[in-house]
Amino acid sequence: MSRIGKKVITVPAGVTVTIREGELEVKGIKGELKTPVPQGITFKLEGDQLQAERTSDDLAAMHGLARALANNAIVGVTEGFTKQLDVVGVGYKADVQSKKVVFALGYSHPVEFPLPEGVEVKSERVATKSSIPQYQTTLTLSSIDKQKLGQVAAEMHRLRRPDAYKGKGVRYANVLLKLKPGKTGK
């Protein structure tokens, strides 16, 4: 039983969905996406309602997956997706240049990260709210493709993972870090 797969997707006005063999093509105001459809799953479009159906009960997991991918495509072409990364640390920074982001992360060289097609990045410098004023750079990534956006954010996060003691590094803005206590000196 797939509770996610049984849900009906409401297609907003201005979005066209084309059902093909093995894929779903979605066009909207922000762009166009193609989503693969697993074997044994079919889609039916009735008016503005998109329904995923499966041929057998063995495909319950694929049923939910196909419905989620179709919903992400529809949300992507209408609203888009965003993720925020914080670059925290003394001397750590990120500069956005045309099609790449140049990071200074404490290495002996700057790290250049090329941006794939369809992903946009904006950077802003923000002061943190703590007893010691510390500046951090916040990168806002945006795209219509949720999977590509998550992959790019994960690769940027992997450039310098947050330190366990001070939290320095590239970290997700909405994830709370639990820092380890340092030496007590006793």
Side-chain angles (χ1 to χ4, degrees):
M1 180 168 140
S2 174
R3 285 182 264 163
I4 300 293
K6 289 181 182 179
K7 288 184 181 179
V8 176
I9 302 170
T10 303
V11 180
V15 175
T16 59
V17 177
T18 307
I19 302 167
R20 295 202 175 118
E21 187 66 34
E23 76 175 5
L24 202 65
E25 186 176 317
V26 182
K27 292 181 185 177
I29 56 172
K30 290 200 174 240
E32 174 183 336
L33 286 174
K34 292 181 181 178
T35 302
V37 178
Q39 285 190 349
I41 306 296
T42 58
F43 280 95
K44 289 188 179 179
L45 183 66
E46 297 173 0
D48 65 343
Q49 304 289 317
L50 184 65
Q51 178 74 41
E53 296 176 352
R54 63 180 183 237
T55 56
S56 71
D57 287 337
D58 295 340
L59 299 170
M62 290 296 166
H63 189 204
L65 171 73
R67 190 257 180 215
L69 290 175
N71 188 47
N72 286 343
I74 290 172
V75 171
V77 297
T78 55
E79 301 168 17
F81 296 100
T82 60
K83 276 192 181 274
Q84 287 189 329
L85 295 171
D86 291 335
V87 181
V88 179
V90 177
Y92 288 16
K93 62 181 181 175
D95 295 323
V96 178
Q97 300 173 356
S98 65
K99 289 286 184 183
K100 64 182 176 181
V101 180
V102 180
F103 289 95
L105 297 172
Y107 298 119
S108 62
H109 60 284
V111 178
E112 293 184 3
F113 187 88
L115 291 172
E117 194 68 34
V119 177
E120 298 174 0
V121 178
K122 294 179 189 171
S123 82
E124 58 185 353
R125 194 172 159 110
V126 181
T128 58
K129 297 177 182 175
S130 66
S131 60
I132 302 171
Q134 187 181 33
Y135 290 95
Q136 69 186 25
T137 305
T138 300
L139 296 174
T140 305
L141 295 104
S142 59
S143 177
I144 61 172
D145 190 353
K146 188 174 184 178
Q147 183 177 358
K148 186 186 290 186
L149 180 69
Q151 184 66 37
V152 169
E155 289 172 2
M156 284 184 179
H157 174 70
R158 210 172 292 129
L159 292 175
R160 176 69 98 176
R161 294 206 168 141
D163 179 27
Y165 295 98
K166 293 184 179 180
K168 298 185 335 179
V170 181
R171 58 187 186 188
Y172 294 106
N174 58 352
V175 175
L176 183 65
L177 283 178
K178 186 173 180 182
L179 300 178
K180 291 182 179 180
K183 293 183 179 179
T184 58
K186 289 185 180 178

